[in-house]
């Protein structure tokens, strides 16, 4: 029972009411964004470490121990993380309702506090604060005071290591951002492909009305016939059928033990989706026949047990071992008794495009449990009210429950819609956090090169050349990020698309678009600081010389 909601694992074959993969996806994206923020902290703190090196040297000279200095740096890291945690809690309270509307769940932070999972979150917070603050804390405090105060090679060596670390962290966080952007584009394209692909049937303007709960079969048949006559007379009802299956929902049931007469017994192990339909089902949904004929009115009234007639789709014909649909039409199959295949139906996507077309066997029966109406498009609200009145008159005490086939069918893609929205939001957030770090790093690096820029301007350097000088190092890192992220994103999205029987292609423009977007954002982020430095009066930057 504890595993029935989300499943026991990612590979659980049984249908569950929740999505374990979506839970892991949300958790993974949250951790990625948190890691980017920690990268920023490490990046900016190492960039500022040379300024604080003299502070550390002076403190050591006046008697501070290394343990005290490490505690100071780690304390700053913990303080910033705790402030971030408090702000996050306030934001969660503020955005709780929009988030619940988005996920269509009733989440509450109070419930989280009552669950042991908050312990894991607290451990993650402490671990992140320690790791993000430990590099600077242990690297700077390990230097000797005489090295720091004289600015000798030991400090320069440390600065070189910090410069290498900063580059790696910039590359890492922009790589994550690019992967998220590419994933968003692939998800959106796959969703558009599934929503626009020809499914092999018509779903628009098909209204499904659930059948009544009546125990008396005779009374049900009389009321059903009366309602059919009344509904058929309405000018906006173009067609109707009774069926046990509707595209977008599951089948009537599954069965095995169906074989061609005279075939080996191993074929009896193969499973088939079974659908109870009447003689008008194919015409209502405009599903074509490959060969043979449809059920007759008499066969639908008799039922499959008495008529001995069935129809199959193309996939079922192949699974039964027929060389062609034409060979299947008119052939006999065994399923407890002998049945004649009167027609072969064209394959259509009864369920979402995540799955391949199932082998389906159609069985004739007039009373399938659902009434499907093919309606005209005019004044739908008035039509529904009139249909409700007729339904309640025919079946007193039964609720008028209905839905439209196209809306219900597209609900199968809700997970993909949520994935694309989550990735889009995560991409924007990841890029924003990465750009905050890049902005801070550019500010620091520009400040470090203020005098160099002043000298270059005095010697005649143009604003454009100074912009290029300051920006090129950062752009080089972003381009490296693109080269790293594109193959990783391509591999991950190719693996994800393998879960779909019908897939879109991963186009080159997705990689080019993601890379171009990140380059533009990086140029705008770094360009502001670069332009500010390039426009500075060299007299001000060189005054103290």
């Amino acid at each position: 029972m504890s595993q029935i909601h989300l499943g026991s694992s990612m590979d659980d074959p049984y249908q569950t009411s929740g999505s374990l993969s979506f839970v892991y996806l949300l958790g993974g994206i949250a951790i990625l964004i948190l890691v980017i923020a920690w990268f920023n902290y490490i990046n900016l703190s190492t960039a500022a470490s040379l300024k604080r090196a003299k502070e550390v040297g002076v403190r050591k000279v006046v008697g501070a121990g290394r343990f005290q200095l490490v505690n100071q740096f780690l304390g700053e890291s913990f303080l910033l993380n705790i402030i971030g945690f408090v702000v996050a809690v306030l934001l969660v309270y503020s955005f709780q309702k929009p988030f619940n509307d988005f996920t269509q769940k009733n989440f509450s932070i109070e419930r989280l506090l009552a669950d042991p999972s908050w312990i894991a979150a607290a451990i993650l917070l402490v671990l992140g604060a320690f790791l993000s603050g430990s590099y600077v804390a242990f690297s700077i405090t390990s230097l000797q005071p005489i090295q720091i105060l004289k600015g000798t090679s030991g400090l320069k060596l440390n600065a070189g290591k910090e410069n290498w670390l900063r580059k790696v962290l910039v590359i890492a966080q922009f790589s994550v951002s690019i992967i998220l952007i590419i994933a968003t584009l692939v998800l959106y394209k796959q969703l558009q492909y599934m929503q626009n692909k020809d499914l092999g049937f018509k779903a628009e303007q098909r209204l499904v009305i659930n059948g009544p709960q009546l125990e008396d079969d005779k009374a049900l048949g009389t009321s059903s016939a009366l309602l059919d006559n009344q509904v058929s007379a309405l000018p906006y009802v173009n067609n109707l059928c009774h069926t046990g299956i509707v595209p977008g929902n599951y089948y009537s049931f599954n069965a095995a033990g169906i074989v061609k007469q005279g075939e080996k017994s191993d074929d009896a192990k193969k499973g088939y989706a079974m659908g109870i339909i009447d003689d008008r089902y194919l015409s209502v949904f405009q599903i074509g026949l490959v060969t043979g004929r449809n059920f007759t009115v008499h066969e639908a009234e008799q039922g499959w047990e008495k008529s001995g007639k069935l129809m199959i789709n193309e996939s079922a014909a192949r699974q039964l071992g027929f060389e062609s649909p034409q060979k299947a039409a008119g052939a006999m199959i065994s399923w407890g008794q002998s049945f004649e295949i009167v027609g072969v139906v064209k394959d259509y996507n009864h369920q979402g495009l995540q799955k391949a077309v199932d082998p389906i066997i159609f069985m004739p029966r007039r009373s399938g449990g659902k009434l499907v109406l093919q309606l005209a498009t005019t004044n739908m609200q008035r039509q529904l009210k009139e249909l409700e009145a007729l339904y309640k008159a025919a079946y007193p005490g039964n609720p008028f429950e209905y839905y439209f086939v196209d809306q219900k069918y597209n609900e199968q893609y809700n997970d993909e819609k949520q994935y694309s929205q989550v990735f889009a939001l995560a991409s924007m957030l990841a890029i924003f956090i990465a750009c905050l770090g890049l902005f801070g790093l550019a500010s620091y690096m520009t400040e470090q090169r203020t005098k160099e820029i002043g000298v270059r301007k005095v010697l005649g350097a143009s604003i454009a050349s100074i912009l290029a000088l300051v920006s090129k190092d950062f752009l080089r890192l972003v381009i490296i990020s693109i080269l790293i992220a594109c193959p990783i994103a391509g591999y991950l999205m190719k693996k994800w698309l393998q879960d779909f029987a019908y897939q879109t292609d991963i186009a080159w423009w997705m990689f080019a678009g993601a890379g171009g977007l990140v380059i533009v954002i990086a140029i705008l982020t770094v360009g502001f600081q670069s332009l500010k430095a390039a426009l500075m009066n060299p007299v001000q930057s060189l005054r103290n010389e």
Side-chain angles (χ1 to χ4, degrees):
M1 290 299 294
S2 64
Q3 297 171 348
I4 201 169
H5 180 61
L6 293 175
S8 58
S9 71
M10 294 283 285
D11 299 323
D12 196 317
Y14 299 105
Q15 190 174 9
T16 59
S17 57
S19 174
L20 185 62
S21 60
F22 196 56
V23 173
Y24 283 143
L25 177 67
L26 286 173
I29 290 175
I31 290 173
L32 279 176
I33 293 173
L34 188 59
V35 167
I36 289 176
W38 285 333
F39 281 177
N40 271 347
Y41 181 78
I42 297 171
N43 230 338
L44 296 175
S45 59
T46 53
S49 61
L50 292 181
K51 281 188 173 181
R52 302 196 65 180
K54 289 185 180 179
E55 173 198 339
V56 172
V58 171
R59 285 178 178 274
K60 279 195 169 186
V61 168
V62 298
R66 187 182 182 190
F67 181 74
Q68 292 173 303
L69 295 171
V70 168
N71 281 347
Q72 177 192 341
F73 282 101
L74 289 179
E76 292 174 4
S77 176
F78 274 92
L79 181 62
L80 284 173
N81 275 270
I82 290 170
I83 292 172
F85 175 76
V86 172
V87 172
V89 171
L90 294 175
L91 287 174
V92 167
Y93 270 115
S94 302
F95 290 100
Q96 190 69 69
K97 188 179 184 306
F99 183 74
N100 285 345
D101 292 340
F102 167 67
T103 57
Q104 298 180 356
K105 300 286 188 295
N106 186 26
F107 290 119
S108 168
I109 198 166
E110 288 85 0
R111 295 181 188 177
L112 180 65
L113 296 176
D115 189 88
S117 60
W118 70 266
I119 299 174
I123 293 172
L124 185 66
L125 177 69
V126 172
L127 187 63
F130 176 79
L131 292 177
S132 61
S134 59
Y135 177 80
V136 175
F138 288 103
S139 62
I140 292 184
T141 57
S142 65
L143 298 175
Q144 296 300 316
I146 192 168
Q147 288 179 313
I148 300 172
L149 298 177
K150 280 189 173 184
T152 55
S153 59
L155 187 56
K156 290 178 182 178
L157 178 63
N158 189 61
K161 290 179 180 177
E162 289 181 355
N163 189 46
W164 174 84
L165 179 64
R166 286 198 299 272
K167 290 179 179 179
V168 170
L169 293 178
V170 168
I171 290 170
Q173 55 189 320
F174 273 96
S175 295
V176 172
S177 301
I178 294 163
I179 290 171
L180 288 173
I181 294 171
I182 294 171
T184 302
L185 294 173
V186 174
L187 280 163
Y188 180 77
K189 192 164 183 281
Q190 176 66 16
L191 183 60
Q192 291 298 306
Y193 172 78
M194 291 192 297
Q195 289 178 328
N196 296 319
K197 185 182 181 297
D198 181 16
L199 301 171
F201 70 93
K202 298 296 182 183
E204 295 77 14
Q205 302 303 126
R206 271 64 176 180
L207 178 74
V208 180
I209 302 173
N210 289 335
Q213 300 297 321
L214 294 176
E215 294 182 2
D216 187 346
D217 290 341
K218 187 175 180 181
L220 176 60
T222 303
S223 299
S224 177
L226 176 63
L227 181 62
D228 283 0
N229 292 332
Q230 292 174 330
V231 168
S232 298
L234 297 173
Y236 50 81
V237 176
N238 297 327
N239 204 349
L240 64 85
C241 71
H242 289 271
T243 178
I245 59 171
V246 176
N249 286 340
Y250 205 62
Y251 305 100
S252 300
F253 58 92
N254 286 329
I258 304 169
V259 295
K260 283 199 301 181
Q261 287 188 345
E263 291 296 309
K264 55 187 179 183
S265 58
D266 286 349
D267 287 348
K269 298 177 182 178
K270 298 175 181 177
Y272 296 85
M274 312 299 287
I276 300 172
I277 64 173
D278 67 5
D279 52 291
R280 291 175 287 187
Y281 176 83
L282 298 183
S283 61
V284 166
F285 288 103
Q286 296 183 24
I287 300 170
L289 277 168
V290 179
T291 186
R293 63 170 176 84
N294 192 7
F295 296 131
T296 64
V297 175
H298 181 63
E299 288 167 351
E301 290 173 347
Q302 278 187 308
W304 74 89
E305 305 98 326
K306 293 181 179 179
S307 68
K309 309 295 184 184
L310 297 174
M311 286 194 296
I312 62 176
N313 68 348
E314 294 173 277
S315 296
R318 286 191 294 270
Q319 184 163 293
L320 283 166
F322 292 105
E323 295 178 4
S324 68
Q326 289 71 24
K327 293 281 183 72
M332 303 297 293
I333 58 175
S334 296
W335 179 39
Q337 68 182 69
S338 294
F339 290 91
E340 181 188 355
I341 300 172
V342 297
V344 178
V345 178
K346 284 184 178 179
D347 277 347
Y348 70 97
N349 294 100
H350 189 85
Q351 295 186 292
L353 296 179
Q354 299 95 329
K355 302 176 182 178
V357 175
D358 290 310
I360 309 174
I361 294 181
F362 300 95
M363 305 173 294
R365 176 168 285 177
R366 177 57 57 84
S367 56
K370 297 181 186 298
L371 174 64
V372 183
L373 307 180
Q374 181 183 344
L375 301 177
T377 58
T378 56
N379 202 342
M380 189 60 69
Q381 289 302 318
R382 183 182 63 81
Q383 293 174 13
L384 289 173
K385 287 181 180 178
E386 189 171 353
L387 289 169
E388 181 177 7
L390 292 175
Y391 181 89
K392 289 186 173 180
Y395 308 120
N398 282 273
F400 180 69
E401 298 174 334
Y402 68 91
Y403 62 87
F404 287 94
V405 174
D406 53 349
Q407 294 176 357
K408 187 75 172 178
Y409 196 91
N410 285 329
E411 285 179 7
Q412 298 176 103
Y413 304 140
N414 281 347
D415 280 352
E416 285 71 30
K417 289 178 185 175
Q418 285 191 327
Y419 287 160
S420 61
Q421 291 169 341
V422 165
F423 271 102
L425 291 171
S427 300
M428 289 188 286
L429 188 57
I431 290 172
F432 176 71
I433 296 172
C435 287
L436 284 179
L438 192 62
F439 184 83
L441 198 57
S443 302
Y444 175 82
M445 298 299 289
T446 303
E447 184 183 340
Q448 293 290 96
R449 303 180 73 171
T450 300
K451 292 185 175 62
E452 175 194 345
I453 293 169
V455 171
R456 286 179 180 273
K457 288 195 73 173
V458 169
L459 295 176
S462 64
I463 292 177
S465 64
I466 292 173
L467 282 172
L469 172 74
V470 178
S471 303
K472 68 179 182 180
D473 290 338
F474 292 105
L475 289 179
R476 189 182 295 119
L477 298 179
V478 173
I479 290 171
I480 293 172
S481 301
I482 294 171
L483 295 176
I484 292 173
C486 284
I488 295 174
Y491 172 77
L492 292 175
M493 297 317 295
K494 188 175 180 181
K495 292 285 288 183
W496 179 74
L497 285 173
Q498 287 176 358
D499 292 337
F500 294 86
Y502 301 88
Q503 316 167 2
T504 187
D505 58 316
I506 302 177
W508 65 269
W509 61 263
M510 298 177 179
F511 302 97
L517 178 64
V518 171
I519 288 175
V520 170
I521 292 172
I523 289 173
L524 293 175
T525 304
V526 177
F528 176 78
Q529 290 298 328
S530 304
L531 186 62
K532 183 180 175 182
L535 294 175
M536 185 180 294
N537 190 336
V539 173
Q540 293 180 340
S541 56
L542 299 174
R543 180 181 294 166
N544 61 352
E545 296 296 331

